[in-house]
Amino acid sequence: MIQATDIPPTTDGAAVPVPAAVPRGHGRQREQILQRVLRLLHREEGGVLWIEGPAGAGKSRLLAFAAEEAAPAGALVLTGGGVAGHGMPPLAPLLDALGPLPALRSREPGSAHREPGPYPEAGSPYQLMRQVEDRLRDLAHDRPLVVVLDDVQHCDELTLLAVRGLTARLAGLPLLWVLAARSHHDVPAVESLRRDLLTERAVPLDVPALDPEAVRLLVRDLLGPRAAQADPYLPLCGGLPGAVRQLCALLASRTGTPGAVRTGGDPVAGAVAARRLDQLTQHAKELVLIASALGDSLTVRHLSRVLGCGESALLRPLGEVLAAGLMRAGQQHLAFAHPSVRDAVVATLPPPVRLSVRRRSVDLRLADGTPPAVLAAEIAELAEPGDEHAIRVLATAARELAPHSPATAAAHLRRAMELSRDAAPRRMRLAARLIPLLWETGEADEARALAREVVQVPPDAATHARVCLELTRMGGRFPVAEAEAHLRRALGHRGVPQPVKDQLLSTTLLNRLLAGEAEEAGGALAGSLARARGTHPLNDLTQRTLRSMSACHRQRWTEALGHSESVPAKVAELDPAYGAALPEVVVSTVWRAALLGLAGDGTAAAELVEGGLADAEQRGRRAYLPLWRTARARLLLDGGRLPEAARELTAAQEPAAAREPAAAGAGPRASGTSAASEAVVVCARARIAFHTGDDAELEACSALAEACLEGEDRQSRRAGAWIAVLTALYRDEVLPRHQLGVAAAHLRRGFLHATCLDAGDVVLLVAAALASGQRDMAAAAVEFAEERARLNPGLPLFAGAAAHARGLFARDADLLAEAAELHGAARPLLRARALEDAGECAASTDAGTARSRFEEALRLYTGCGAQRDARRVHGRLRKLGIRPLGAACAAAPAVPEPEWRGLTRSELGVVRLIAHGATNREAAERLFLSPHTVNTHLRHAFEKLGVRSRVQLARLYAREVDSAAVSA
């Protein structure tokens, strides 16, 4: 009789008995079986029960349940079953159930007994079936009879034919057939038997997987207090009781506490997976093994192509796999029931087979048109050295990904170079494409080392010229000897395309201007640009930027703006995917933003900077982050937002500081950056410290300035002299004449790297010269400011700076007041300084006017966070005998910490102004943003804060931020 307890094998082939457990699940099926048994016993009604389900679903236990219910009630139960494989005699399952045909004796009531003996001697199949039929008929006349046959799918064809005929011919007897077969079996004769029996009203019983609660109770019954150890492995079982019992037996035989399922290395997971695979037909097993190597999700069409068969050939094995719970079918894709199932199955594949299947899958998807960028990661893992196809795919993928993800593109090119290590020319060409990606992503040292290797042994003239161009774009000096010789070679070779020559020529001059190596760009620039005959948009863009910088050097700022107006249009003419990644585009855009800021159009400037910064952050172009952040800091500084500007400068220097330690007295410098680009940051830091009163920061900047003054770089020496001016004014010290002269040359040059010098800096130079007793130098600075204003009548900032310088030199209060009006709201620090100087000039003659100007200056300084300036004006008011009101000298409106309720820094800036009563347009003007951007930040802030109106926002801000600032 069928036993109610399975003995599954362990990982070492031994048998470990599983403790008997209370039957779990399949209650509906048990109830149907019980009803049929009762009808047999009490009404002598026979029939056929067809039990079907996947391997391990519990069919054998249902058969055992039927036998255990029928035998004690007086029925005779005969049991048999098919056996996998061949070699069994015909009709063996029925003969095993009946026993020796010559003598069938009952040893105890309710059970059949047969004497040990061999199978009957071979006769005709017809005679054997007649003997079996006669015996069954005789037995059924004596008492109700139950014939239980398990694993019908493994029975021989004669047995199947006999069952088909006997169930029909013995239908009127009290004989109940209980047959069990796996679902989706690949045996046509069994399928035919199933179809015929069900047509003749056999009762079908489907055995599904157990629900999670039943599985949990079954595991608890089997493992007791160790039940939790089975949790990581239960997805492998698919809710099948047989698999669950095997798992529990394996866990019961192990010592220690198992961990999570480990791919390929966990014997428990491997044993469960192996048994489930062994219970499948060969075609189904092959299908699930191949599918496991193809990933978590795949289509039927792709699976059929990998297997080399049509979709129709997959219907039967796929149905078996789905019924077994190993995979599930979605609308369009097949997927494994759980990642651990796939991991355990794929671990049973030999690695060479796994790699071969995956490579075939990749090749098929490429042939179907899947973009190489999607498959490059798999190709990189599967390819072997010398794989030409893989190298081409990786190179193509890198080209596709470079605009969007330069780091990923660089990884693919690195792998392609590894695969082509024996082909030097190809490797060098791949390296030439890798160099700019490495530089973009912040790997400047590796980029320059690779460029040095290619330049020294180039595969061809065009590659040599392109690498020279990339080195020029990086800035700094060539990492090879005789750099000029390499440039001349690239520019003179006939095999180099003309656009490359033109861009190399223009970029070389641009790089030298930015680094301060070209003193006067006028005549030299015209001659150099005349040699650039190409009309490529990138070359045109670079030339316009060069002309714009040259105009600034000549103080023709209106002309400079005109040259830069076409920057957005020229960028749009470039490849939209690659344009933003080119250094010339970034520099030209930053330069255009700097000019717009100087012209007073802070909103347009901020939009350019914010767009560039967002692109660099999103694409991982780390090389450009310091430039964009410095540009943003400069706009914030000009707008009087000192704390935010200081944070941006700190962020701009973080990448460099993280990569390499600072050199003595030089500050942190990223590889490939010029001294001029770092001088921009130091000058901005010094200006912020000058206004805020940060002694430590100004001392640090002063130390850097001293190092710059002692260096050989002319641009750095000028920047150092300018920082010395700020330091002298801060400390009330006198500057030597030569330092004032160098600082004046700094202002006359007009720009530092890609940043315009502030229009109001000339006022500080006049003040320093007057404080040092150098009145003639102050007069020269005033004349310079007035001439600059005359040359650029459309730029009010220059007119304001000229009026301020002349008023300070002549101590003309009215001229200083006029300067304050010309500065307007766009430059609150310049306006406040003009008002302060105007009040100082009027203090001895008109105390009332002086007071009003001091109080307005105090309000502006306070709003900008210029604490040192505010303290100075506060002292001037006290000298007049006036004690400023608390509101006048209070700190600027409180700005919450960056982590306040999850708002970003940009959202916090908008919320602060809106909460204090500003309109969207007013906030946009104050923050140098577009109204649309302000509206977007405000909408996001509303969602994060959970408010629906400005009133609610103002109340929340006042309660949590303003009140906290007052308490502090």
Side-chain angles (χ1 to χ4, degrees):
M1 186 176 295
I2 296 174
Q3 299 300 313
T5 301
D6 293 337
I7 307 296
T10 63
T11 54
D12 59 0
V16 178
V18 180
V22 177
R24 299 292 182 186
H26 303 150
R28 183 180 62 83
Q29 290 81 357
R30 292 172 182 273
E31 181 63 28
Q32 287 184 275
I33 291 173
L34 181 59
Q35 290 177 3
R36 297 296 302 188
V37 170
L38 292 177
R39 289 168 64 179
L40 172 69
L41 295 173
H42 298 295
R43 300 180 186 178
E44 294 189 347
E45 291 184 10
V48 180
L49 282 177
W50 181 270
I51 301 176
E52 186 173 297
K59 302 183 297 298
S60 297
R61 285 189 162 262
L62 290 176
L63 296 180
F65 172 77
E68 290 166 356
E69 292 294 327
L76 178 63
V77 179
L78 305 177
T79 63
V83 179
H86 303 283
M88 295 295 291
L91 290 177
L94 289 175
L95 296 176
D96 281 343
L98 289 170
L101 292 179
L104 182 66
R105 301 193 306 272
S106 174
R107 177 174 293 179
E108 56 187 35
S111 64
H113 172 72
R114 63 179 176 86
E115 295 290 344
Y119 292 106
E121 293 186 4
S124 70
Y126 176 76
Q127 291 176 336
L128 286 176
M129 285 193 289
R130 287 298 303 267
Q131 286 183 296
V132 170
E133 179 180 352
D134 292 342
R135 288 299 183 188
L136 289 175
R137 194 181 298 275
D138 292 341
L139 292 173
H141 279 302
D142 293 338
R143 70 172 100 172
L145 183 62
V146 178
V147 178
V148 176
L149 289 182
D150 199 1
D151 289 326
V152 173
Q153 75 277 359
H154 293 319
C155 291
D156 59 277
E157 291 191 8
L158 187 58
T159 299
L160 298 177
L161 181 63
V163 170
R164 174 69 189 88
L166 293 174
T167 53
R169 290 195 295 271
L170 303 179
L173 298 177
L175 171 57
L176 177 63
W177 296 83
V178 186
L179 312 175
R182 291 183 187 175
S183 54
H184 299 278
H185 37 72
D186 194 14
V187 182
V190 177
E191 185 63 30
S192 176
L193 172 63
R194 175 183 180 277
R195 182 175 59 252
D196 292 344
L197 292 180
L198 294 181
T199 301
E200 295 179 1
R201 298 185 180 179
V203 178
L205 291 181
D206 291 327
V207 185
L210 299 179
D211 59 73
E213 178 61 18
V215 171
R216 186 186 67 81
L217 294 175
L218 178 59
V219 172
R220 188 188 66 183
D221 293 340
L222 296 173
L223 291 180
R226 297 177 60 185
Q229 296 179 9
D231 291 344
Y233 301 97
L234 290 181
L236 296 173
C237 300
L240 302 177
V244 173
R245 291 189 181 91
Q246 180 207 14
L247 168 65
C248 293
L250 294 172
L251 292 176
S253 67
R254 287 168 58 102
T255 59
T257 302
V261 177
R262 299 185 305 276
T263 302
D266 194 322
V268 174
V272 174
R275 176 173 176 176
R276 294 197 66 186
L277 290 175
D278 289 342
Q279 292 170 337
L280 299 176
T281 62
Q282 185 61 31
H283 290 306
K285 182 177 180 179
E286 292 173 358
L287 183 148
V288 75
L289 284 171
I290 298 300
S292 69
L294 299 180
D296 294 322
S297 178
L298 69 158
T299 63
V300 173
R301 179 178 180 272
H302 184 65
L303 180 60
S304 68
R305 295 182 65 194
V306 174
L307 289 169
C309 61
E311 285 90 337
S312 60
L314 296 183
L315 294 179
R316 185 176 297 277
L318 181 58
E320 182 181 353
V321 172
L322 294 175
L326 291 169
M327 300 183 73
R328 59 175 181 269
Q331 291 293 330
Q332 297 180 345
H333 293 81
L334 300 171
F336 278 83
H338 192 273
S340 63
V341 175
R342 175 183 173 267
D343 292 343
V345 172
V346 78
T348 63
L349 276 175
V353 176
R354 192 185 316 159
L355 293 177
S356 177
V357 171
R358 290 181 60 193
R359 184 56 188 269
R360 174 169 169 76
S361 170
V362 169
D363 291 342
L364 288 172
R365 283 181 284 169
L366 282 171
D368 287 341
T370 303
V374 177
L375 302 174
E378 287 186 75
I379 284 285
E381 180 184 353
L382 300 172
E384 297 180 355
D387 190 331
E388 297 291 333
H389 181 61
I391 294 171
R392 289 195 299 271
V393 171
L394 290 170
T396 303
R399 185 179 297 107
E400 295 175 358
L401 289 169
H404 314 291
S405 180
T408 305
H412 292 332
L413 285 176
R414 278 195 182 102
R415 180 58 176 153
M417 290 177 61
E418 292 175 1
L419 297 176
S420 60
R421 61 174 180 263
D422 295 332
R426 171 178 290 178
R427 183 179 180 278
M428 291 294 100
R429 294 187 183 97
L430 292 171
R433 293 178 50 192
L434 176 59
I435 289 166
L437 297 176
L438 293 174
W439 184 79
E440 278 183 51
T441 53
E443 303 296 335
D445 290 338
E446 184 179 353
R448 294 173 75 82
L450 196 58
R452 180 172 59 250
E453 179 183 353
V454 177
V455 166
Q456 290 174 341
V457 191
D460 53 69
T463 301
H464 173 262
R466 287 191 172 91
V467 174
C468 288
L469 174 59
E470 297 303 338
L471 281 171
T472 305
R473 285 169 167 168
M474 293 180 202
R477 299 186 179 277
F478 271 30
V480 293
E482 301 180 355
E484 292 296 330
H486 280 284
L487 289 175
R488 288 194 300 270
R489 174 184 170 189
L491 293 171
H493 202 288
R494 293 184 178 181
V496 178
Q498 188 61 41
V500 176
K501 292 182 179 180
D502 293 339
Q503 193 57 36
L504 177 57
L505 181 63
S506 300
T507 306
T508 299
L509 186 53
L510 177 61
N511 180 50
R512 290 175 179 175
L513 280 175
L514 293 175
E517 297 175 9
E519 184 57 33
E520 215 301 312
L525 176 62
S528 298
L529 295 182
R531 296 168 52 198
R533 301 183 299 275
T535 58
H536 191 277
L538 180 61
N539 187 47
D540 191 9
L541 172 69
T542 309
Q543 292 180 27
R544 290 175 183 271
T545 301
L546 284 166
R547 291 189 176 97
S548 179
M549 290 183 168
S550 177
C552 289
H553 183 74
R554 293 179 283 110
Q555 302 305 316
R556 267 62 173 180
W557 295 88
T558 304
E559 180 184 340
L561 275 166
H563 285 305
S564 72
E565 280 182 3
S566 61
V567 166
K570 290 299 177 182
V571 172
E573 293 180 23
L574 300 172
D575 187 333
Y578 288 85
L582 297 172
E584 299 93 318
V585 173
V586 175
V587 169
S588 297
T589 306
V590 170
W591 175 251
R592 171 67 179 168
L595 288 174
L596 289 173
L598 190 73
D601 193 352
T603 300
E607 287 182 351
L608 288 177
V609 172
E610 293 297 331
L613 180 58
D615 178 81
E617 290 178 333
Q618 180 181 359
R619 310 297 185 193
R621 298 186 175 117
R622 295 173 54 193
Y624 301 139
L625 289 178
L627 185 60
W628 287 117
R629 291 194 180 279
T630 302
R632 177 197 265 179
R634 175 58 189 273
L635 291 176
L636 292 170
L637 173 58
D638 293 343
R641 297 163 63 184
L642 298 178
E644 295 173 67
R647 286 196 293 269
E648 283 299 322
L649 289 176
T650 300
Q653 290 187 295
E654 282 176 357
R659 282 193 297 271
E660 54 187 76
R669 176 179 296 183
S671 299
T673 60
S674 66
S677 63
E678 295 182 10
V680 174
V681 177
V682 179
C683 287
R685 287 171 52 193
R687 282 185 59 191
I688 294 172
F690 177 81
H691 289 294
T692 59
D694 189 338
D695 295 336
E697 177 70 356
L698 196 63
E699 286 296 330
C701 293
S702 178
L704 293 174
E706 291 178 3
C708 291
L709 287 169
E710 296 174 358
E712 298 180 357
D713 185 82
R714 189 179 308 177
Q715 187 89 316
S716 297
R717 289 203 303 271
R718 290 170 176 169
W722 176 246
I723 296 173
V725 168
L726 295 178
T727 304
L729 289 173
Y730 188 88
R731 300 171 179 170
D732 293 326
E733 295 177 348
V734 175
L735 276 174
R737 186 178 182 85
H738 74 276
Q739 282 197 4
L740 287 172
V742 178
H746 171 73
L747 295 184
R748 284 195 298 270
R749 193 169 195 275
F751 64 92
L752 180 60
H753 199 250
T755 302
C756 301
L757 299 185
D758 188 76
D761 284 349
V762 68
V763 177
L764 297 178
L765 179 61
V766 171
L770 291 174
S772 301
Q774 304 293 331
R775 192 168 179 82
D776 59 332
M777 299 194 73
V782 171
E783 292 175 3
F784 163 77
E786 292 175 337
E787 177 65 13
R788 186 178 61 179
R790 185 187 65 79
L791 293 173
N792 303 280
L795 300 178
L797 281 178
F798 289 135
H804 194 165
R806 175 59 68 180
L808 187 63
F809 183 79
R811 296 194 59 80
D812 187 331
D814 293 335
L815 203 55
L816 291 169
E818 178 186 347
E821 293 302 319
L822 288 171
H823 289 315
R827 293 297 180 89
L829 287 171
L830 295 180
R831 178 180 174 83
R833 183 59 187 252
L835 288 169
E836 180 187 356
D837 290 338
E840 179 65 16
C841 290
S844 59
T845 58
D846 189 347
T849 300
R851 173 181 178 176
S852 64
R853 289 171 177 168
F854 283 150
E855 287 180 344
E856 176 65 10
L858 178 60
R859 185 187 68 80
L860 291 171
Y861 282 141
T862 302
C864 294
Q867 295 95 337
R868 175 177 177 273
D869 297 326
R871 289 194 298 269
R872 185 178 61 247
V873 175
H874 189 275
R876 296 185 188 279
L877 282 170
R878 293 205 310 187
K879 287 182 180 179
L880 294 176
I882 301 166
R883 183 178 181 83
L885 297 176
C889 60
V895 179
E897 292 297 322
E899 66 270 12
W900 184 68
R901 287 185 170 260
L903 298 185
T904 65
R905 185 180 302 168
S906 300
E907 291 166 353
L908 283 169
V910 172
V911 165
R912 176 174 64 87
L913 294 178
I914 297 299
H916 287 94
T919 65
N920 281 21
R921 183 167 296 278
E922 290 170 345
E925 293 175 355
R926 182 74 175 84
L927 298 174
F928 300 106
L929 299 174
S930 68
H932 173 74
T933 302
V934 169
N935 183 60
T936 300
H937 287 329
L938 194 59
R939 183 175 67 253
H940 292 164
F942 273 29
E943 294 173 357
K944 293 179 180 180
L945 298 176
V947 299
R948 297 184 178 180
S949 68
R950 293 169 178 265
V951 175
Q952 292 178 334
L953 175 65
R955 289 174 179 171
L956 179 65
Y957 192 93
R959 182 173 65 253
E960 295 192 3
V961 180
D962 288 341
S963 60
V966 171
S967 300

